[in-house]
Amino acid sequence: MLGSLLPAFGGTEPPGWLLRRIAAGHAHGVTVFLRANAADAEGLAALTEELHDTAPGRLPLLIGADQEGGQLVGLGHGTTRFPGAMALGAADDPALTEATGRAMGRELRALGITVDYAPVCDVAVEPDNVSLGTRAFGSDPGMVGRHSAALTLGLQEGGVVATPKHFPGFGAVDADPHYELASIDLAIDGLEARELVPFRAAIEAGAGMVMSGHVALPAVTGDRALPATVSRLVMHELLRNRLGFNGVSITDAMDMQAVAQGIGGVIDSIVALRAGVDLLLMTPDRAAQKRLEDGLRQASVRGLVPASRIRASQRRLLRLRRWLKHFVWPERAYVLSQAHRDLADRSARAAVTLVRDEAGLLPLRPPADERVLVITPQPRELTPADSSADEPLALAAAVRRHHDLVTDLRLPAEPSDDDVRAAREAAAAADAVVVATLATNVQPSQARLVQAVLETGTPTVTVAMRTPYDLADYPRSATHLCAYSIVPASVGAVAEALFGRSPIGGILPVDIPGLYPRGHGLEVSQWA
């Protein structure tokens, strides 16, 4: 039963216990994590090459990563940082999404990664879902389904297994499964009309894996305290029988607080396997892994998981690995190639959404002697599924490419009263202000800062760089853009849009509560 674990480890070299297990055929792969393993692209490629070389018959391993783009770039700056799902939803061009998936797949495969934990198929209907943030394409099930299918096709054309997640969907909850269990309170008809639509689309597009979400589904299980991951009614009856999925099912990380921990985690893992899950995803906590390994050995001795079920899982896993063997390993030159950087730029530009310009400020055309103040908060990680702290958010530098006289005011993620006063004074002395915000629903002092800047009367453009809901927290802003990402391509695209260097055509992929509906966006041709 050890083959049902997808382990992880810390460091840039594989440990001996893992190599021995792979060589013996008792591990189908591993997960690599940004903080644990992905220090640089070259080192990661050497690590995965050693792992693959250890596998019997040189059958490619299932080496997975959270390379979503945007909010979660699981392989760091050594790879192309694409803007991510919500930016692609705002662009709403499935061909662009498929091309992005293909490029991501080639980069991953060139680094020895064979599984991407994407697309995110959650339907983003709850603005306070911090864990989801901009990782979802949007709030319309049909649109999310189209883009989930497109990303799946692109990834798998690139020789990487797509993994739609988090089944059956947790876009409607306001709790973070890293810390607690939440419930989707919909009847089965409601699930069919919303949550399940993107998963059907991704499965029909040929997704090789599906990842479970740690969320309760009482309409199916009758239990508000039972995570979907450990329910046979969800992971077998719903996923396999109702949706027709015949690939590999994998759990979300089993160290999340939405499922039991300690000895309870061992029990939940055994129950998940009994429910029909093929793989248990682990994080690099070796003590927790050993505890689970011991539990699975004892469960095997006691026959707690039917041997027929384990054999069926092993057949699915081997079939997926054989599919991977058909692909040629791409050249390393694909990684961070100019073509991929250009594609990221194109996606970012297509995503920028002009929500409002009642003041007629755009495009900015300041005389050479006018001072433009750019205010940015320090990015921080709002959930463990977040790599934002690694991004510099160099918006002032991007603006300076279009105007020389720019003041860069960088403030903490949660600006203090003194920071707000400093921003107000700087705005009063400037001729124009561009102020960025990052998820004001969970960092409300950023909205308070924006309001202080607006009170000065200085012409001001607000930019929601992350989630698009921020305008609801400072509704007096008369000129407002959304970018959906803080990767460099998105930062550059915002600066181009501000100065009319590129057209604006993005649409809101979600509602801004009380202000604008999904699909809203002011289309502006490129200014001369």
Side-chain angles (χ1 to χ4, degrees):
M1 284 172 60
L2 288 183
S4 300
L5 293 180
L6 196 69
F9 60 94
T12 56
E13 295 185 4
W17 64 264
L18 178 59
L19 294 174
R20 291 190 294 273
R21 186 174 300 175
I22 291 171
H26 295 155
H28 289 280
V30 300
T31 299
V32 294
F33 289 94
L34 174 62
R35 305 292 181 229
N37 314 109
D40 62 81
E42 289 301 316
L44 181 62
L47 184 155
T48 59
E49 183 176 9
E50 184 175 1
L51 292 171
H52 286 299
D53 286 348
T54 304
R58 299 295 294 276
L59 195 62
L61 294 168
L62 301 174
I63 301 183
D66 282 307
Q67 188 77 339
E68 298 176 8
Q71 181 177 320
L72 184 53
V73 181
L75 298 183
H77 292 187
T79 57
T80 303
R81 282 120 78 197
F82 291 97
M86 192 165 283
L88 290 169
D92 199 16
D93 179 353
L96 182 61
T97 299
E98 184 174 344
T100 299
R102 190 179 305 111
M104 291 170 65
R106 286 173 176 164
E107 291 204 9
L108 288 164
R109 191 70 192 244
L111 293 172
I113 307 298
T114 55
V115 178
D116 192 6
Y117 299 140
V120 173
C121 291
D122 305 312
V123 181
V125 295
E126 174 50 68
D128 289 328
N129 190 330
V130 178
S131 179
L132 189 57
T134 59
R135 299 166 64 202
F137 292 106
S139 62
D140 177 70
M143 183 272 276
V144 177
R146 289 191 298 275
H147 288 276
S148 295
L151 196 72
T152 294
L153 288 169
L155 284 168
Q156 299 203 162
E157 286 169 9
V160 168
V161 179
T163 311
K165 63 182 183 184
H166 307 80
F167 185 78
F170 78 101
V173 304
D174 61 1
D176 188 334
H178 293 91
Y179 306 114
E180 59 183 309
L181 178 68
S183 175
I184 300 175
D185 294 314
L186 282 179
I188 189 65
D189 289 348
L191 293 169
E192 283 280 8
R194 191 177 69 192
E195 266 69 16
L196 300 183
V197 170
F199 289 98
R200 282 190 184 277
I203 289 168
E204 289 173 2
M209 295 180 77
V210 167
M211 179 181 287
S212 71
H214 301 324
V215 62
L217 203 62
V220 174
T221 67
D223 189 345
R224 295 178 59 84
L226 183 70
T229 295
V230 299
S231 169
R232 183 166 177 80
L233 290 173
V234 177
M235 297 309 298
H236 183 80
E237 297 298 332
L238 187 58
L239 177 60
R240 297 202 182 277
N241 291 347
R242 191 160 187 142
L243 269 63
F245 179 64
N246 62 4
V248 170
S249 60
I250 182 173
T251 70
D252 205 344
M254 293 300 291
D255 67 339
M256 296 165 73
Q257 298 298 314
V259 290
Q261 298 301 300
I263 191 62
V266 176
I267 295 171
D268 267 2
S269 295
I270 294 169
V271 174
L273 296 178
R274 288 175 59 89
V277 167
D278 296 316
L279 279 178
L280 303 168
L281 191 153
M282 305 298 295
T283 57
D285 184 341
R286 185 61 187 137
Q289 289 185 49
K290 291 182 73 173
R291 184 168 57 243
L292 181 53
E293 290 163 7
D294 292 342
L296 291 182
R297 289 189 186 97
Q298 186 67 10
S300 180
V301 170
R302 296 289 185 245
L304 295 182
V305 182
S308 60
R309 194 160 295 160
I310 296 299
R311 287 195 297 270
S313 289
Q314 297 308 302
R315 285 194 296 270
R316 285 190 285 265
L317 288 159
L318 287 171
R319 184 174 67 219
L320 191 57
R321 291 175 63 189
R322 292 188 188 106
W323 176 82
L324 286 168
K325 194 171 184 179
H326 296 153
F327 292 87
V328 175
W329 295 96
E331 295 292 328
R332 198 74 51 77
Y334 277 114
V335 181
L336 265 179
S337 67
Q338 187 61 54
H340 288 180
R341 295 198 299 271
D342 291 345
L343 179 60
D345 290 341
R346 183 154 63 94
S347 300
R349 292 188 191 104
V352 173
T353 305
L354 180 57
V355 177
R356 178 189 285 174
D357 190 19
E358 295 172 356
L361 291 182
L362 298 184
L364 296 178
R365 289 286 188 263
D369 61 347
E370 285 198 354
R371 296 159 296 177
V372 176
L373 171 66
V374 177
I375 305 173
T376 52
Q378 176 65 38
R380 68 182 181 96
E381 293 169 1
L382 303 179
T383 172
D386 196 344
S387 59
S388 298
D390 291 342
E391 297 295 350
L393 187 51
L395 182 57
V399 168
R400 201 171 282 121
R401 290 197 287 269
H402 306 282
H403 182 72
D404 290 333
L405 203 55
V406 174
T407 301
D408 184 1
L409 180 58
R410 300 194 186 199
L411 297 172
E414 288 279 17
S416 66
D417 290 345
D418 287 343
D419 294 324
V420 171
R421 280 192 291 272
R424 182 190 294 114
E425 292 170 3
D431 296 295
V433 180
V434 177
V435 55
T437 57
L438 299 170
T440 54
N441 58 337
V442 291
Q443 300 179 123
S445 59
Q446 291 183 24
R448 191 161 53 86
L449 182 147
V450 171
Q451 291 161 359
V453 169
L454 293 173
E455 287 168 2
T456 66
T458 303
T460 298
V461 181
T462 55
V463 187
M465 291 296 306
R466 190 164 165 157
T467 49
Y469 313 112
D470 292 6
L471 184 62
D473 291 325
Y474 44 79
R476 288 180 52 200
S477 174
T479 303
H480 184 73
L481 292 169
C482 292
Y484 315 99
S485 167
I486 62 171
V487 299
S490 297
V491 174
V494 166
E496 290 181 5
L498 287 170
F499 287 86
R501 302 292 191 260
S502 62
I504 302 175
I507 60 172
L508 286 173
V510 296
D511 297 342
I512 299 180
L515 292 176
Y516 295 100
R518 179 188 58 81
H520 171 80
L522 304 177
E523 188 170 339
V524 181
S525 299
Q526 185 171 350
W527 290 285

